[in-house]
Amino acid sequence: KGYCDYNWWKNIMDSGSVFVTRLKYNAAFRVIGQHEVSAENKDFILKDQTIELTNAAPRGGKRNRLAAIPLRLITVARDGKKPLMIVCNDLEQSADSIAGYYKTRWQIELFFKWIKRYLKVNTFLGESKNAIKIQLYCAIVAYLLMWLWHKASRQTGQAMTQLRVFIQTKLFDSIATEDYVRKRRENNQENSLQWALAI
């Protein structure tokens, strides 16, 4: 995630799982160990360190339960940007493996970005796991049906966004889909004929 919640990271550790995420540049920590970076990884792995977070009470009386617990900090070079600071609770894996975990995590981010862009799921109607899954399945089925209709009526020259608007405005109208496609085709043929006659 793009935000730091140290206590959430501690909950992940307590459940026996591994987290790999970004560390803020202004995070307070101290280095307690340095690891050698292999020669083949030196071009993109700048540092491999073991650290401890030092802000035990970050704000407003809250406690940072992750403070003083050894973590792994991998600093990765990026073209034309600040180096990426990846923090992880796995102290055994190699630095390039941890960097690879973070990179593959982007596929999940891209999936969620696709959901937000194409499925138009702005808010969840329920909070349970089952309610969220049902809403996502319904949105995916609706998108696939619209995509199939778009593919079947491609000769109309209509974009997916136009189809989405049409469905939203005409959802409860009695115009049949076949009639709509036929009328669009006839209009296109008539426009082509008029254009040919004008030449």
Side-chain angles (χ1 to χ4, degrees):
K1 287 290 192 178
Y3 59 89
C4 288
D5 187 341
Y6 298 135
N7 290 330
W8 179 48
W9 297 355
K10 182 66 168 66
N11 291 339
I12 293 172
M13 282 184 70
D14 292 343
S15 70
S17 298
V18 173
F19 65 82
V20 179
T21 188
R22 293 175 67 170
L23 188 66
K24 286 187 175 180
Y25 293 107
N26 62 353
F29 64 88
R30 71 169 169 265
V31 178
I32 60 173
Q34 295 276 357
H35 305 279
E36 189 69 31
V37 178
S38 61
E40 63 267 16
N41 295 329
K42 282 197 174 184
D43 55 340
F44 74 98
I45 304 268
L46 302 178
K47 294 178 192 172
D48 182 4
Q49 302 167 314
T50 302
I51 64 165
E52 286 180 351
L53 298 173
T54 57
N55 53 343
R59 62 186 178 277
K62 290 191 176 182
R63 300 295 298 170
N64 177 8
R65 297 188 302 118
L66 198 62
I69 294 176
L71 299 171
R72 192 83 169 276
L73 179 64
I74 313 295
T75 307
V76 180
R78 295 190 296 173
D79 291 334
K81 295 181 182 177
K82 275 186 177 181
L84 188 66
M85 296 170 63
I86 300 172
V87 67
C88 176
N89 63 325
D90 189 342
L91 304 177
E92 304 299 325
Q93 289 285 342
S94 64
D96 59 319
S97 296
I98 293 170
Y101 294 153
Y102 186 82
K103 187 176 180 181
T104 54
R105 158 193 172 280
W106 271 108
Q107 296 303 318
I108 300 168
E109 294 290 333
L110 291 174
F111 174 67
F112 280 107
K113 187 176 180 181
W114 181 88
I115 285 176
K116 286 173 72 175
R117 181 174 179 185
Y118 292 106
L119 300 189
K120 302 298 182 186
V121 178
N122 298 322
T123 55
F124 288 110
L125 303 176
E127 294 182 359
S128 70
K129 182 180 177 181
N130 196 37
I132 291 171
K133 285 170 74 175
I134 288 171
Q135 187 173 349
L136 286 176
Y137 289 149
C138 289
I140 290 170
V141 167
Y143 176 82
L144 290 174
L145 287 172
M146 191 172 68
W147 180 81
L148 287 171
W149 184 38
H150 177 255
K151 191 174 179 184
S153 61
R154 187 157 285 176
Q155 64 270 21
T156 64
Q158 201 163 30
M160 281 280 281
T161 51
Q162 291 173 312
L163 285 175
R164 186 182 295 123
V165 170
F166 171 77
I167 291 170
Q168 288 173 344
T169 56
K170 303 289 185 181
L171 186 61
F172 296 106
D173 285 0
S174 59
I175 300 174
T177 303
E178 291 179 9
D179 292 342
Y180 171 76
V181 172
R182 181 179 47 77
K183 286 175 184 174
R184 289 284 300 196
R185 191 181 300 128
E186 288 172 358
N187 287 340
N188 285 346
Q189 288 173 352
E190 186 177 332
N191 291 338
S192 299
L193 182 61
Q194 289 176 355
W195 182 77
L197 290 172
I199 294 175

